[in-house]
Amino acid sequence: YASASSFFKPTRTAVSDGYIYIDSDGKRLSGDKDGSIFKPISGHQFEIGTHITFSDRLQADFSAFYIVKNNMVQSLGKTTIDGTDYNVSGQVGRADSKGLELSFTAVPFRQLTLDAGYSLTIAKLREFSYTEYASNTQAGNYLQHAPKHTAYGWAFYDFAHALKGLKLGVGFNSTSKVYVNAANTMTFDPYAVANAMVSYSFKNWRLQLNANNIFDKTYYMYAVSTTGYVPEEGRNVRFSATFNL
């Protein structure tokens, strides 16, 4: 398959005390009457892919993509004016991302299913306005919060005979390091977390228990103003019940 699309997305940033806002030309913004700041994000996306069935025991999906975004909003760090500290938020000229995605499903034998996937994403700033708060030397830097490598894997076992309907699964998901700021001077460490599930299906019901981040690993994927690190969920257990009509 192949696809092409364009998109338009208003930004929801509103005027806030303690912030300085600049546009894609490097000019300082004061906000509109309705409180909005930046121009809408716009861009284009192109993707090609294929689904391959090697046999009834092995299937794979492969895709490649290219995305261009204009008017992206980035945190540009902090500055001090007349003794007062301000966070700086700016709308960079252009950024793009390109990459590959691969996933497969294998059934080595009837009761065992293996699912795995890998993504490579190279997301960079391509045009960056020169301002008194940030220079265009950041053009070519990696986008913040956009990991280059991500992967996941699951193994599921479906019981038969007296335990028919019972299903067990163990898996993981991992991410390479990500940059916290547009200057690429701060990073979050790579991480991998383990997960597990057990479910039981009978008649029209499916009961499922999921255990996520089994080893209670502390890791981060996002930050507020580059300094307020937001931790991801620790060890947690979730139960769900589904009834199919």
Side-chain angles (χ1 to χ4, degrees):
Y1 70 89
S3 66
S5 61
S6 60
F7 55 88
F8 175 92
K9 181 182 179 181
T11 58
R12 291 186 170 274
T13 304
V15 176
S16 187
D17 292 337
Y19 276 81
I20 290 176
Y21 305 95
I22 60 174
D23 65 13
S24 57
D25 295 321
K27 298 177 181 178
R28 187 166 175 175
L29 299 171
S30 58
D32 296 333
K33 293 181 179 180
D34 60 0
S36 61
I37 296 290
F38 299 114
K39 297 177 182 178
I41 297 171
S42 63
H44 306 280
Q45 177 173 332
F46 307 94
E47 184 174 356
I48 60 172
T50 185
H51 174 81
I52 305 174
T53 300
F54 297 100
S55 68
D56 58 353
R57 293 184 179 273
L58 179 61
Q59 300 180 31
D61 292 281
F62 173 81
S63 63
F65 63 88
Y66 179 69
I67 303 171
V68 178
K69 289 185 178 181
N70 301 304
N71 296 326
M72 290 188 64
V73 176
Q74 296 286 312
S75 173
L76 303 180
K78 293 186 176 183
T79 189
T80 301
I81 300 176
D82 296 331
T84 302
D85 293 332
Y86 293 90
N87 294 297
V88 183
S89 185
Q91 195 154 37
V92 299
R94 182 171 63 89
D96 67 8
S97 61
K98 53 190 174 184
L100 306 172
E101 295 180 347
L102 173 66
S103 64
F104 76 87
T105 300
V107 185
F109 53 90
R110 186 172 63 181
Q111 292 167 260
L112 178 64
T113 301
L114 304 176
D115 287 329
Y118 167 77
S119 296
L120 168 67
T121 303
I122 301 174
K124 292 186 174 185
L125 296 167
R126 294 304 179 186
E127 294 178 2
F128 201 94
S129 303
Y130 181 85
T131 74
E132 60 182 297
Y133 310 107
S135 68
N136 56 9
T137 56
Q138 293 184 5
N141 285 4
Y142 287 96
L143 288 179
Q144 61 201 82
H145 306 147
K148 188 174 183 179
H149 306 282
T150 59
Y152 71 89
W154 276 93
F156 299 100
Y157 187 84
D158 290 279
F159 288 81
H161 307 300
L163 295 177
K164 184 176 181 180
L166 180 64
K167 182 176 184 177
L168 296 180
V170 292
F172 76 93
N173 60 283
S174 65
T175 294
S176 62
K177 72 176 182 180
V178 296
Y179 290 100
V180 181
N181 58 346
N184 286 182
T185 58
M186 303 170 61
T187 61
F188 288 141
D189 294 332
Y191 73 87
V193 296
N195 309 298
M197 59 80 66
V198 58
S199 68
Y200 183 67
S201 300
F202 62 97
K203 297 183 179 179
N204 295 338
W205 285 95
R206 176 185 174 88
L207 307 179
Q208 182 165 320
L209 186 69
N210 286 79
N212 304 308
N213 195 359
I214 294 173
F215 300 109
D216 200 25
K217 183 177 181 62
T218 299
Y219 63 102
Y220 305 87
M221 282 297 293
Y222 298 99
V224 179
S225 301
T226 71
T227 56
Y229 289 8
V230 181
E232 297 297 306
E233 287 187 310
R235 182 189 300 117
N236 63 90
V237 177
R238 296 178 182 178
F239 173 78
S240 62
T242 305
F243 181 80
N244 296 315
L245 298 176

